[in-house]
Amino acid sequence: DSGVTQTPKHLITATGQRVTLRCSPRSGDLSVYWYQQSLDQGLQFLIQYYNGEERAKGNILERFSAQQFPDLHSELNLSSLELGDSALYFCASSVGASGSGRETQYFGPGTRLLVL
Amino acid sequence: GQQLNQSPQSMFIQEGEDVSMNCTSSSIFNTWLWYKQEPGEGPVLLIALYKAGELTSNGRLTAQFGITRKDSFLNISASIPSDVGIYFCAGQLEGAQKLVFGQGTRLTINP
């Protein structure tokens, strides 16, 4: 158990809909990262928040957005869903965000999203 | 986006055999990480490497950070059934927070 929790574990929805994925980081961690894992693209970084502020952005679509709340939990919002958005979405957390390369990221169990 | 080339893509071995997999990149990384992912779970960190040439062990696992900072390898000695899973390398660029992942090596062990 990494200490990172994600809900829900599974989500089935229809195209055009909007969903919210939730992540609680490990106790004491200030950074939250979101990754998407699909069969054809592998694990791809989406976005990072540090202490409530957006810190880095990766291959995140404009239809997707995220935020980190004062209690440090984070939500990833996916809207106007398409079939290709079906994937595993992982949240990871780390203590800081210095970019020094020593911020070990611990991953949650993921949310499996299926868009029908 | 940037990618790491991880090989082999899959391995089928007998229990007790040693395993070796590696990752290469055209970019220089200042951190290399190795994760293992089992079905329905998130990646679990196995070994973290922070310095070129560093050789680190975690039980039967040994990983090295290449001297050129563009590659890393992971060895598993005397494999056991619970080693089954997908192993990912991940690199972190200087000053960047995000991890860049390899495509994974799927390990299957025949008892």
Side-chain angles (χ1 to χ4, degrees):
Chain A
D1 184 354
S2 66
V4 179
T5 60
Q6 288 187 248
T7 56
K9 195 164 176 62
H10 301 278
L11 199 48
I12 301 175
T13 188
T15 54
Q17 294 298 305
R18 172 190 168 95
V19 297
T20 297
L21 313 183
R22 184 188 168 106
C23 166
S24 291
R26 294 186 322 152
S27 177
D29 284 0
L30 298 178
S31 266
V32 169
Y33 310 76
W34 286 97
Y35 291 85
Q36 180 193 58
Q37 185 177 36
S38 60
L39 284 174
D40 56 343
Q41 294 290 323
L43 266 160
Q44 299 283 328
F45 169 74
L46 296 178
I47 197 164
Q48 178 205 1
Y49 278 81
Y50 172 73
N51 206 20
E53 300 287 327
E54 182 184 305
R55 188 68 175 231
K57 219 167 186 176
N59 304 321
I60 188 167
L61 300 172
E62 284 192 13
R63 300 182 285 110
F64 296 179
S65 65
Q67 54 184 328
Q68 186 179 28
F69 295 86
D71 67 352
L72 301 176
H73 90 272
S74 177
E75 292 181 356
L76 179 67
N77 301 297
L78 314 177
S79 61
S80 302
L81 284 168
E82 302 174 358
L83 295 178
D85 297 328
S86 295
L88 272 165
Y89 291 84
F90 289 105
C91 164
S93 74
S94 68
V95 172
S98 66
S100 67
R102 290 187 179 257
E103 298 292 346
T104 301
Q105 294 182 27
Y106 295 89
F107 283 75
T111 293
R112 183 177 293 277
L113 174 67
L114 181 59
V115 182
L116 300 174
Chain B
Q2 282 176 316
Q3 275 201 320
L4 298 179
N5 296 313
Q6 185 172 350
S7 65
Q9 285 190 351
S10 59
M11 300 184 76
F12 298 85
I13 63 169
Q14 298 293 324
E15 184 177 351
E17 287 185 11
D18 296 344
V19 171
S20 186
M21 58 191 79
N22 69 83
C23 270
T24 60
S25 171
S26 56
S27 301
I28 292 175
F29 289 94
N30 71 331
T31 298
W32 282 94
L33 305 166
W34 286 92
Y35 287 87
K36 179 187 177 188
Q37 186 177 20
E38 297 186 29
E41 303 292 330
V44 174
L45 182 66
L46 300 173
I47 293 180
L49 302 159
Y50 302 113
K51 193 174 166 185
E54 182 180 355
L55 185 72
T56 297
S57 292
N58 178 7
R60 295 176 295 105
L61 277 60
T62 301
Q64 185 158 30
F65 192 141
I67 289 291
T68 64
R69 296 170 65 193
K70 294 183 178 181
D71 62 335
S72 177
F73 73 75
L74 174 71
N75 286 340
I76 305 174
S77 63
S79 58
I80 60 177
S82 62
D83 291 333
V84 164
I86 303 177
Y87 291 80
F88 290 95
C89 62
Q92 195 167 20
L93 296 166
E94 181 75 37
Q97 288 79 30
K98 70 172 187 178
L99 294 178
V100 179
F101 281 86
Q103 302 95 323
T105 295
R106 182 181 295 273
L107 180 62
T108 302
I109 297 175
N110 298 316

